[in-house]
Amino acid sequence: MSKIYAGQRLQYQLDTKIDVATGAPTLQIEFKKPDLSLLLVSAALVSGSTQVIEYTLTGAELTAGEWKAQAVITEGANPAWRGDTANFTVNAAFE
């Protein structure tokens, strides 16, 4: 995978490892940014998949540093299910 740079758009995909195509679950991804603030966004199911979700981070959202991402799936009144934590690095320009 090529390097990710701050300020660019990034289409981020997560494999939830469960079927989220049935029923009507709420699909979200929670990002922990380098400044430790949280960004909870609505995700979409990747076309042709039953378990991979995605969200496109804008250039304004994508800052340099270490990021974490986690799928958050809810359905009805059930508590949220959280997937494994994924880590990725966003580089500053010229790194």
Side-chain angles (χ1 to χ4, degrees), residues 1-14 29 31 39 41-42 53-69 86-91:
M1 181 165 117
S2 61
K3 284 188 174 184
I4 303 167
Y5 288 96
Q8 73 180 42
R9 287 175 46 106
L10 175 66
Q11 186 175 2
Y12 195 81
Q13 296 185 343
L14 276 176
I29 299 175
F31 293 96
L39 174 64
V41 298
S42 294
I53 60 175
E54 68 183 356
Y55 174 77
T56 301
L57 290 156
T58 66
E61 292 171 323
L62 202 58
T63 56
E66 298 299 317
W67 285 67
K68 294 179 186 264
N87 301 297
F88 63 101
T89 302
V90 176
N91 297 282

Side-chain angles (χ1 to χ4, degrees), residues 30-31 46 63 65 71 81:
E30 186 167 46
F31 293 96
V46 171
T63 56
W81 174 88

